Amino acid sequence: MCGRFVITSAPAALRQLFGYVEQPNFPPRYNVAPTQPIPVVLMENGARHFRLMRWGLLPGWVKDPKGFTLLINARSETVLEKPAFKRAIRRRRGLIPADGYYEWKVEDGRKQPFFIHRADGAPLGFAALFETWAGPNGEELDTVAIVTAAAGEDLAALHDRVPVTISERDFERWLDIRGDEVVAILPLMTAPRIGEFAWHPVSTRVNRVANDDDQLLLPISAEEMAAEAEAAKPKKAARKAAAGPADDGQGSLF
């Protein structure tokens, strides 16, 4: 799956890569999380555009968002059948600019985060599906989910799912919704090629959404990982002797 990602490339570089009309200026983000507004590139009136959307798709038929599961990912194997995605895959496909993402692997009983990025350091585009949810009072909310696929042999060492990334040469094919057909884009919804991505362990500071700085991307050593694991262990309550000269043998928790 993909539950946190990173956008660090300069706005001008991303605009040149994705070719959208707008010229947005935004700061680097090192810990983008669900429900936050994220950039989405889409095709509209024959041109590519930049839009901010809430990460967590809401289908148009949802009556009460509070009682609906947050859909941050869409499985590529079932998008054609799932009610939440089967319309969006045909008519509302987008790209999410990013420079990498985080994944967690259970090691020695604890979840160790890893930063995953293209081996060549280039930015990437997550395959995305979006919907505009209309509320009972006329309010509208643009929402989006990242398409995922079964991980390839290398990335499966971290997690069994990976975000689908669309190469620059296929941007046009993925965004083209003029024919309401999906045959042409089905081959794009696969895992990255073996060796296309690299990864390294990072600090558990990324677990807190409030932490959003470039230190999150730095590799950490085995010693640093062990220190974080030790610091995360529950602390035993200190035992103090009972007050006064007499000891009743019961001890004290306070």
Side-chain angles (χ1 to χ4, degrees):
M1 63 174 294
C2 179
R4 301 280 182 87
F5 69 93
V6 170
I7 311 173
T8 55
S9 290
L14 291 178
R15 181 173 184 260
Q16 181 176 6
L17 175 62
F18 289 92
Y20 41 78
V21 176
E22 293 76 16
Q23 300 184 48
N25 187 23
F26 47 88
R29 295 290 311 280
Y30 300 94
N31 199 3
V32 182
T35 73
Q36 294 178 347
I38 63 174
V40 179
V41 180
L42 54 91
M43 188 69 76
E44 190 175 72
N45 298 323
R48 296 182 193 176
H49 292 274
F50 176 103
R51 296 284 187 274
L52 288 178
M53 299 185 184
R54 190 199 74 157
W55 186 10
L57 185 140
L58 272 177
W61 41 262
V62 171
K63 300 300 182 183
D64 182 8
K66 295 180 180 179
F68 189 76
T69 303
L70 190 66
L71 300 176
I72 64 171
N73 293 153
R75 295 174 69 93
S76 60
E77 299 91 341
T78 57
V79 289
L80 295 179
E81 294 84 29
K82 290 290 185 180
F85 305 121
K86 64 182 182 180
R87 292 182 180 179
I89 188 62
R90 294 180 179 278
R91 302 299 301 165
R92 289 175 282 278
R93 296 191 297 270
L95 294 165
I96 296 175
D99 287 272
Y101 67 102
Y102 299 103
E103 194 54 82
W104 282 257
K105 179 183 179 182
V106 177
E107 295 185 339
D108 299 325
R110 64 187 292 268
K111 290 185 176 182
Q112 173 59 49
F114 289 80
F115 176 57
I116 305 168
H117 56 92
R118 280 181 55 103
D120 61 8
L124 50 94
F126 291 140
L129 307 177
F130 62 90
E131 287 281 9
T132 299
W133 178 80
N137 298 318
E139 67 271 31
E140 291 188 345
L141 180 65
D142 292 328
T143 66
V144 64
I146 295 173
V147 181
T148 68
E153 184 178 346
D154 54 351
L155 285 166
L158 297 180
H159 198 278
D160 62 352
R161 305 293 298 179
V162 293
V164 170
T165 53
I166 306 298
S167 64
E168 183 179 2
R169 66 177 179 275
D170 293 319
F171 282 178
E172 193 70 19
R173 179 155 49 133
W174 177 258
L175 293 174
D176 185 3
I177 56 172
R178 290 172 295 180
D180 195 29
E181 295 293 337
V182 295
V183 175
I185 57 94
L186 292 181
L188 302 180
M189 294 192 292
T190 57
R193 299 184 307 273
I194 293 177
E196 186 176 352
F197 279 69
W199 58 89
H200 59 259
V202 295
S203 171
T204 53
R205 289 184 61 244
V206 74
N207 295 352
R208 295 191 64 224
V209 176
N211 294 328
D212 189 358
D213 57 77
D214 57 2
Q215 300 298 301
L216 297 178
L217 305 184
L218 298 180
I220 65 171
S221 65
E223 292 77 12
E224 289 170 320
M225 282 191 284
E228 287 192 341
E230 184 64 28
K233 290 181 179 178
K235 298 295 187 292
K236 293 182 179 179
R239 297 174 63 89
K240 295 183 180 180
D247 184 1
D248 60 5
Q250 298 299 310
S252 174
L253 292 178
F254 307 99

